[in-house]
């Protein structure tokens, strides 16, 4: 059974940093991707970043390019989202999700497994 556990959310001032973690378990190979999504109040959930575990290829939404960095630690089966230069508009519930087969990339696909979400609040 695949499980995803997020951690690292919190309250930070604008310009500050946070690091989110997504611990994944239950995968039998590394042919999968982990994506980070966020949902602000009253808005749809949107993709933020994703990484293909087997080759480390990463993608970013335009809104976070240059500020967020996604990385994976295969030894810990954990994916991190380092968020720098945070803005109030980054405030949202952040979810990590897993795409079971990432043979064709990690953007634009329906993800198979989801974590419970973690709140990120950026004050101005």
């Amino acid at each position: 059974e695949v499980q995803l556990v997020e951690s690292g959310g919190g309250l930070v001032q604008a310009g500050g940093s946070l690091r989110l973690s997504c611990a994944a378990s239950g995968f039998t190979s590394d042919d999968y991707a982990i994506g980070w999504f966020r949902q602000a109040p009253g808005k749809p959930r949107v993709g933020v970043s994703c990484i293909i575990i087997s080759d480390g290829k990463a993608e970013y939404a335009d809104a976070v390019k240059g500020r967020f960095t996604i990385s994976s630690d295969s030894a810990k089966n954990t994916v991190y989202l380092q968020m720098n230069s945070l803005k109030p508009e980054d405030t949202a519930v952040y979810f990590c999700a897993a795409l079971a087969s990432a043979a064709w990339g990690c953007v634009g696909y329906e993800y198979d497994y989801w974590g419970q979400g973690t709140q990120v609040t950026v004050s101005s």
Side-chain angles (χ1 to χ4, degrees):
E1 179 185 3
V2 172
Q3 290 189 327
L4 302 173
V5 179
E6 301 120 332
S7 60
L11 173 64
V12 65
Q13 288 188 331
S17 298
L18 282 175
R19 189 178 77 161
L20 305 183
S21 300
C22 176
S25 61
F27 287 100
T28 57
S29 74
D30 61 359
D31 184 27
Y32 66 97
I34 295 291
W36 285 99
F37 297 78
R38 67 186 183 187
Q39 186 167 22
K43 294 187 177 182
R45 187 171 59 198
V46 296
V48 174
S49 181
C50 60
I51 186 168
I52 299 174
I53 300 303
S54 61
D55 63 11
K57 182 179 179 183
E59 303 282 354
Y60 297 92
D62 288 343
V64 305
K65 279 181 181 176
R67 300 188 297 122
F68 291 11
T69 302
I70 193 170
S71 61
S72 68
D73 183 334
S74 58
K76 297 181 179 180
N77 293 322
T78 299
V79 169
Y80 303 98
L81 185 69
Q82 179 66 43
M83 306 186 295
N84 299 329
S85 302
L86 283 161
K87 305 174 182 179
E89 51 263 45
D90 294 318
T91 295
V93 177
Y94 283 71
F95 300 88
C96 76
L99 180 64
S101 177
W104 305 105
C106 60
V107 176
Y109 297 96
E110 193 72 27
Y111 276 61
D112 303 287
Y113 306 96
W114 291 84
Q116 79 283 1
T118 185
Q119 177 70 46
V120 171
T121 303
V122 184
S123 63
S124 56

